[in-house]
Amino acid sequence: MTIQEVGQPRKRKEDARLLTGRTQWTDNLSRPGLLHVMFLRSPMAHARITRVDVSGARELPGVVAAFSGQDFAAEQGSLPCGWAVSEDIVIPDHPPMAVSEVRYVGEAVACVVATDRYKAADALEAIEVDYEPLEPVLDMKAALRPDSPKVHEAGNKAYSTKINSGDIEAAFRDAPVVIDRTYIQQRLIPSAMEPRAVATDTDGDSYTVWSATQIPHVLRVMLAVITGIPEQKLRVIAPDVGGGFGSKLQVTAEEVLCLLLTRKLGRPVKWTESRSEGNMTVHHGRDQIQHIRLAADADGRIRGLQVDLLADMGAYLMLVTPGIPMLGAALFNAIYKMDAYEFGCTGVFTTKMPTDAYRGAGRPEATFAIERTMDELAAELNMDPMEIRRRNWIKHEEFPYTTISGLTYDSGNYEAATDKAMALFGYDKIRAEQADRRDRGDPVQLGIGISTYTEMCGLAPSRLLGEANYAVGGWEHGSVRMLPTGKVEVVTGSSPHGQGHVTAWSQIVADALGVPFEDVSVLHGDTAVSHKGMDTYGSRSLVVGGIAVLKACEKVKDKARGLAAHLLECSPDDVEFSGGAFKVRGTDSQKTIQELAYAAFTAHSLPDGVEARLDSDATFDPENYSFPHGTHLCAVDVDTETGMVKIRSYVAVDDVGKVVNPLIVEGQVHGGIAQGIAQALFEEAVYDAEGNLLTTTMADYLLPSAADLPEFTLDRTESPATSNPLGVKGVGEAGTIASTPAVVNAIVDALRPLGIHDVHMPCTPERVWRALEERAQEGVRQ
Amino acid sequence: MPRITVTVDGIKYEEDVEPRLLLVHLLRDRLGKTGTPVGCDTSNCGACTVMLDGKSVKSCSVLAVQADGCDVVTIEGLGANGSMHPMQRAFHEEHALQCGYCTPGMVMAAIDLLREDPEPSEETIRQGLEGNLCRCTGYCNIVRAVRRGAQEMGQAVSTP
């Protein structure tokens, strides 16, 4: 009897290498004659470049070459933006190395190529650049005024969009309750632990690029288009990649420039960023001003929701920059029913690092806004915040449900997840304690935060992406080959960077083909090995890529069935498959899949017209997104004298559909929650009034350590997705999407009796303390 | 250029180094010990943690010349005879790593933590690992792994 692998908490195949230092990070790469690249970066947020002199650098020992933007001008093209979200969008030219104007601190203006990294660093000092300062543009609202200095000639508005559904005017007309709030989604730095690194080499004819990227396949296409190197002569390898969180879903200046350097010099080159360089120049996340208006009846039923966003694009539109707010556009209404919905977004250029995908990408922003607003509605009506949600959410018997924003949620059970979470959390008991501490005037107040989130995952149906004007499709590719010895080699177009694809895909294949888990190997991340793929982002790997592999297995099995019938001298219809063997129904006569693999290899006795191989491939393109959901509950102690917030307990009950590997799912949820808490309490990219990034190091940009975070209590409910045969929904982003509003709701809940109805993120002790002080001063004035 | 003698994972090296060369670059770029990665440039992240004469140091904050005459153990030299150190095994068992970039430093720091407190509480582990950042795991499973590693190391010591 074979154990079903899918659903087992299998320990990861990936671990041994990573635990013993046998890793292949891009920066590990060494090749004969390898040269090291370093970039000189703009210290000005906005300036005209009037002179660049690299001659001093060229004379230094160990320096092979030094170039300015002018030296690349004829061949560097423009970094791509793959998502023209509106008719009015302005996509400015984005040279990988600035030629005449810099638009953010950190933009590359020159580079040095030397025999080691220390010599390259020395040589940067010898480059002279003259700048003529221009006015920085740092505030989105000011940027849209007619008298604002311009980031680009066409102005500071990148685009504007509007979505309408239902009669929004009617919803707000005579509404008994209107909640009107503005929330700030602060700018974040993704901070994958592995800094970006790129290496390039050529044999004189074709080129190889190693990059710490999430998207080797997309990158290959883009680099071919930008550089004119024929696609078939360009190989992109994502070796071990140390985390991404969206930050490595990009076509970067450094990837293009390293490739051009190898083309110019005919030599292998490598560039690895320092963390301070990375904080300035890895694309940032979030950065929106969200104006939310919600109309409701006196009993709390939502009538309509109006969303108006300002989204900071930064200085340029990178790969998916303008699309990030649009990924949230259909999710502000979340799990709630309503009569009307209006969404508007204006993308704004500023002289800061461009923003782009960061874990959740648009969906955490939307979820934060609605979940904060639901708490405000509850407070306005003096209702329990869970009760207000219950009154408005889609009931489990109503699935599939088409929301006001037009998404069709295929499955879910908000009641079940919430009931489980409330029981684990001890909701009523903590509320009782809260009441007691309020009555006593305890200086440490207790707050309870709720987040009943959903999200759209498994990006995405190609047809919908096309309608949204996204440059590429959302399918994924997988191939499966039985080797002569009966082992299995799987190739996936997904490109993992910590998620555990090798383990999870092995489980799927083991079940599908009836082979041992240990007999499956999974290859990925190299365009010469994995010739087709759409890569890893948007919680899409399992939901799309895993299913492609499953489909390829089904095709292999079909082939094997025919071969088995031929060898067993019966009709394919009389052959049944179980436990890795094809059996003639009602007899002991059988062929194992391993025997069939060998038979296909020797090809001594194949049916006429059958090829000598037992392999296949498949692409999968989902018909719908998947919609994980869940209920997260957070209890915080807030010291009203110091502003210190301490998370006392955190319960998360997530419904990610069927689970392939609960260990991996748990890990994803843990890490996701931590990143969402980090936005709520710790992290913010801060620019000063001149446009200098102040948070360039990990000493200034506060990533939470083990000492800053609590243990999380997790559980699951399971409503299988109906859009794929495994019933899986994806889990990469759920925790991050859910946890930020849970934490801030808890803080506001603790302080509401003191007159506070919002604290801007990150809710540092200083911010909380100031909010309390301001409120106290207002009280004195009154 | 100063000449230093340093033992790394049991092998003795004599190297001429620039005084400014960081220990981590000596390990990675000169000796090919790429198991120890670099995660930042301000000694905040701890990814580059190695043992220097038995105590954990962030090798991005130590000059190679300071390691002259010292014994360095990296993640690559931790296991014996091809098997993993109990702490490495515990990280595997508890799924305490995802991308694995912080893992070498995290494992070294965890072992160092146990030198002072062989049976640490959750609180002690969390405080003790404050200098090592992980972006993937949310630390829950790292804390569990360190506990498990501590138990197994304790048993390994008490077994004759």
Side-chain angles (χ1 to χ4, degrees):
Chain A
M1 182 64 202
T2 353
I3 299 168
Q4 176 155 352
E5 282 291 343
V6 168
Q8 296 296 321
R10 275 287 193 177
K11 308 284 190 299
R12 296 199 318 169
K13 290 183 171 182
E14 290 88 341
D15 289 357
R17 238 165 10 85
L18 298 168
L19 276 164
T20 53
R22 295 189 193 91
T23 41
Q24 296 181 50
W25 312 116
T26 299
D27 184 62
N28 294 6
L29 190 104
S30 91
R31 299 180 73 78
L34 181 71
L35 301 173
H36 295 261
V37 180
M38 280 204 186
F39 294 98
L40 186 68
R41 297 184 178 278
S42 169
M44 315 282 293
H46 197 194
R48 212 161 276 130
I49 301 170
T50 53
R51 187 179 74 100
V52 184
D53 183 356
V54 298
S55 58
R58 283 184 179 144
E59 286 160 19
L60 292 174
V63 173
V64 175
F67 298 110
S68 70
Q70 201 63 52
D71 298 317
F72 293 105
E75 56 173 340
Q76 68 176 348
S78 180
L79 293 177
C81 172
W83 202 345
V85 294
S86 72
E87 296 280 326
D88 70 348
I89 194 166
V90 176
I91 302 180
D93 190 47
H94 186 184
M97 186 176 281
V99 179
S100 55
E101 193 170 325
V102 288
R103 294 184 175 87
Y104 64 91
V105 167
E107 195 167 356
V109 294
C111 69
V112 162
V113 186
T115 50
D116 79 44
R117 45 179 123 215
Y118 286 67
K119 292 193 174 77
D122 289 343
L124 286 186
E125 306 274 331
I127 297 175
E128 292 174 15
V129 186
D130 291 341
Y131 297 98
E132 183 188 312
L134 298 168
E135 284 286 305
V137 180
L138 301 163
D139 178 274
M140 282 196 275
K141 285 182 179 163
L144 291 175
R145 289 185 203 125
D147 60 344
S148 169
K150 288 176 181 176
V151 182
H152 296 283
E153 241 171 74
N156 296 335
K157 194 182 90 173
Y159 69 88
S160 56
T161 58
K162 203 85 168 169
I163 297 169
N164 274 299
S165 180
D167 188 342
I168 197 76
E169 275 180 33
F172 276 83
R173 197 179 306 132
D174 308 323
V177 187
V178 173
I179 306 293
D180 188 319
R181 294 283 187 272
T182 297
Y183 297 115
I184 311 287
Q185 288 287 328
Q186 80 271 34
R187 184 175 269 257
L188 300 177
I189 301 176
S191 308
M193 290 312 298
E194 183 205 15
R196 286 179 304 154
V198 186
T200 48
D201 199 1
T202 181
D203 60 7
D205 178 45
S206 55
Y207 294 82
T208 305
V209 177
W210 294 262
S211 181
T213 180
Q214 296 174 222
I215 53 162
H217 297 91
V218 174
L219 182 60
R220 183 197 193 196
V221 177
M222 296 296 183
L223 288 176
V225 171
I226 295 166
T227 63
I229 294 170
E231 195 179 347
Q232 81 280 12
K233 292 182 188 275
L234 193 52
R235 174 183 179 187
V236 176
I237 300 172
D240 284 332
V241 177
F245 315 108
S247 71
K248 293 169 181 170
L249 162 54
Q250 193 54 270
V251 177
T252 66
E254 294 82 2
E255 286 162 333
V256 174
L257 293 168
C258 283
L259 184 55
L260 295 179
L261 284 169
T262 283
R263 185 159 76 179
K264 274 180 189 294
L265 304 171
R267 298 274 300 270
V269 306
K270 182 169 82 177
W271 166 79
T272 303
E273 74 186 357
S274 69
R275 180 60 62 179
S276 5
E277 198 179 12
N279 276 15
M280 284 190 287
T281 62
V282 172
H283 72 239
H284 292 169
R286 315 282 191 259
D287 208 344
Q288 295 180 356
I289 301 172
Q290 310 173 302
H291 183 203
I292 311 294
R293 292 181 74 233
L294 181 142
D297 287 330
D299 64 357
R301 193 191 69 86
I302 303 171
R303 296 163 62 131
L305 180 67
Q306 259 184 325
V307 177
D308 191 16
L309 301 185
L310 286 182
D312 194 337
M313 305 284 102
Y316 301 96
L317 301 183
M318 297 192 73
L319 194 59
V320 211
T321 302
I324 301 306
M326 302 312 293
L327 282 167
L331 276 182
F332 281 85
N333 52 303
I335 64 171
Y336 308 113
K337 296 182 279 190
M338 58 190 71
D339 306 327
Y341 177 61
E342 185 182 88
F343 171 90
C345 176
T346 304
V348 185
F349 288 117
T350 59
T351 51
K352 297 181 189 175
M353 181 63 207
T355 54
D356 207 313
Y358 172 54
R359 201 168 191 171
R363 292 154 289 166
E365 295 91 318
T367 305
F368 180 87
I370 185 64
E371 289 302 294
R372 284 285 299 110
T373 305
M374 292 305 281
D375 264 34
E376 296 303 304
L377 176 61
E380 182 73 24
L381 294 170
N382 202 19
M383 283 172 65
D384 184 276
M386 194 60 95
E387 178 56 26
I388 201 86
R389 287 168 168 84
R390 278 186 195 279
R391 286 191 186 183
N392 284 287
W393 72 39
I394 301 155
K395 294 184 173 46
H396 73 272
E397 63 270 20
E398 293 176 294
F399 287 91
Y401 183 90
T402 299
T403 70
I404 190 73
S405 61
L407 294 173
T408 300
Y409 297 171
D410 59 337
S411 71
N413 190 332
Y414 308 140
E415 297 93 325
T418 298
D419 291 348
K420 209 170 201 177
M422 287 176 81
L424 276 172
F425 188 71
Y427 187 84
D428 295 337
K429 207 174 148 204
I430 296 186
R431 277 274 178 236
E433 185 189 337
Q434 179 185 48
D436 179 54
R437 276 163 65 175
R438 281 179 180 172
D439 290 346
R440 280 193 283 116
D442 194 327
V444 182
Q445 284 291 311
L446 174 61
I448 298 170
I450 299 170
S451 172
T452 48
Y453 77 99
T454 192
E455 54 159 334
M456 45 188 256
C457 280
L459 304 177
S462 298
R463 181 177 51 80
L464 296 182
L465 291 177
E467 285 168 13
N469 214 14
Y470 189 68
V472 295
W475 49 265
E476 192 47 272
H477 181 258
S479 65
V480 173
R481 47 190 183 246
M482 296 296 307
L483 303 177
T485 54
K487 310 295 184 193
V488 191
E489 209 161 53
V490 175
V491 184
T492 177
S494 303
S495 197
H497 36 284
Q499 294 88 344
H501 292 22
V502 170
T503 304
W505 280 213
S506 294
Q507 291 177 270
I508 293 170
V509 171
D511 278 357
L513 298 179
V515 297
F517 169 77
E518 295 76 15
D519 283 3
V520 186
S521 285
V522 180
L523 309 175
H524 57 75
D526 177 347
T527 60
V529 173
S530 164
H531 66 273
K532 228 171 127 59
M534 274 298 176
D535 308 317
T536 287
Y537 54 90
S539 304
R540 70 187 306 271
S541 287
L542 177 60
V543 184
V544 192
I547 304 299
V549 167
L550 178 67
K551 296 223 167 247
C553 287
E554 295 301 327
K555 289 188 184 175
V556 168
K557 232 158 60 181
D558 283 346
K559 284 189 181 179
R561 180 186 302 276
L563 183 54
H566 170 74
L567 295 174
L568 295 165
E569 297 177 341
C570 67
S571 151
D573 294 341
D574 293 335
V575 173
E576 59 184 11
F577 180 74
S578 91
F582 293 86
K583 298 184 174 98
V584 183
R585 222 178 295 273
T587 75
D588 292 336
S589 180
Q590 68 163 42
K591 288 283 176 192
T592 65
I593 194 152
Q594 291 85 357
E595 288 171 327
L596 295 167
Y598 191 70
F601 168 67
T602 62
H604 293 163
S605 173
L606 297 180
D608 289 342
V610 169
E611 291 179 42
R613 58 199 187 112
L614 192 50
D615 56 22
S616 196
D617 70 341
T619 58
F620 179 65
D621 200 332
E623 286 178 2
N624 193 3
Y625 301 99
S626 60
F627 300 97
H629 72 81
T631 297
H632 287 215
L633 296 169
C634 175
V636 295
D637 285 323
V638 184
D639 188 327
T640 58
E641 288 167 353
T642 64
M644 189 69 194
V645 174
K646 191 170 186 314
I647 296 178
R648 194 170 88 164
S649 62
Y650 195 105
V651 169
V653 176
D654 295 288
D655 191 328
V656 297
K658 286 277 183 192
V659 166
V660 172
N661 185 323
L663 207 60
I664 289 176
V665 165
E666 186 187 84
Q668 287 289 325
V669 174
H670 282 156
I673 292 173
Q675 261 173 315
I677 291 174
Q679 177 175 11
L681 295 182
F682 303 112
E683 297 180 14
E684 182 171 25
V686 181
Y687 283 87
D688 72 9
E690 278 76 50
N692 298 300
L693 183 68
L694 299 180
T695 49
T696 53
T697 72
M698 284 177 166
D700 306 301
Y701 187 85
L702 187 59
L703 301 174
S705 77
D708 301 312
L709 293 170
E711 173 72 29
F712 310 127
T713 305
L714 307 188
D715 207 337
R716 283 188 279 110
T717 55
E718 195 173 287
S719 314
T722 62
S723 53
N724 67 71
L726 280 180
V728 295
K729 295 182 175 176
V731 68
E733 295 158 303
T736 305
I737 289 168
S739 64
T740 311
V743 174
V744 179
N745 274 341
I747 295 166
V748 176
D749 184 56
L751 302 179
R752 202 180 289 281
L754 303 171
I756 284 174
H757 64 77
D758 198 21
V759 180
H760 287 329
M761 295 186 292
C763 303
T764 58
E766 184 185 342
R767 284 251 171 90
V768 173
W769 183 82
R770 281 188 191 282
L772 283 160
E773 278 298 295
E774 277 165 25
R775 193 62 205 137
Q777 295 298 327
E778 283 167 26
V780 169
R781 278 200 296 275
Q782 281 161 11
Chain B
M1 218 182 267
R3 170 161 296 188
I4 61 164
T5 306
V6 58
T7 302
V8 179
D9 295 336
I11 296 172
K12 197 170 180 178
Y13 298 89
E14 264 191 13
E15 293 287 321
D16 296 326
V17 299
E18 275 190 79
R20 63 177 176 171
L21 184 73
L22 298 175
L23 176 58
V24 72
H25 287 146
L26 173 76
L27 294 172
R28 290 181 56 79
D29 296 348
R30 296 275 287 271
L31 308 183
K33 305 293 284 185
T34 53
T36 302
V38 183
C40 74
D41 43 15
T42 48
S43 74
N44 290 93
C45 83
C48 64
T49 305
V50 299
M51 296 292 181
L52 187 69
D53 285 344
K55 288 186 182 168
S56 73
V57 295
K58 293 176 176 176
S59 61
C60 74
S61 307
V62 176
L63 296 168
V65 289
Q66 291 176 289
D68 187 21
C70 292
D71 184 59
V72 176
V73 179
T74 78
I75 193 75
E76 297 171 57
L78 208 49
N81 309 320
S83 69
M84 282 201 265
H85 184 279
M87 189 60 77
Q88 289 169 312
R89 272 203 309 276
F91 269 62
H92 173 63
E93 293 293 328
E94 295 291 350
H95 184 35
L97 63 152
Q98 290 179 32
C99 83
Y101 201 80
C102 75
T103 307
M106 200 64 85
V107 167
M108 300 313 265
I111 293 170
D112 195 41
L113 170 74
L114 300 181
R115 254 188 334 117
E116 286 170 10
D117 185 351
E119 293 173 55
S121 65
E122 176 180 340
E123 186 62 21
T124 310
I125 294 170
R126 286 185 178 273
Q127 296 295 335
L129 294 180
E130 199 176 18
N132 290 73
L133 297 174
C134 168
R135 194 59 157 167
C136 296
T137 64
Y139 303 104
C140 296
N141 291 350
I142 291 175
V143 173
R144 285 175 202 160
V146 176
R147 275 199 160 150
R148 179 194 274 256
Q151 279 166 9
E152 287 178 15
M153 284 167 71
Q155 281 165 6
V157 171
S158 59
T159 312

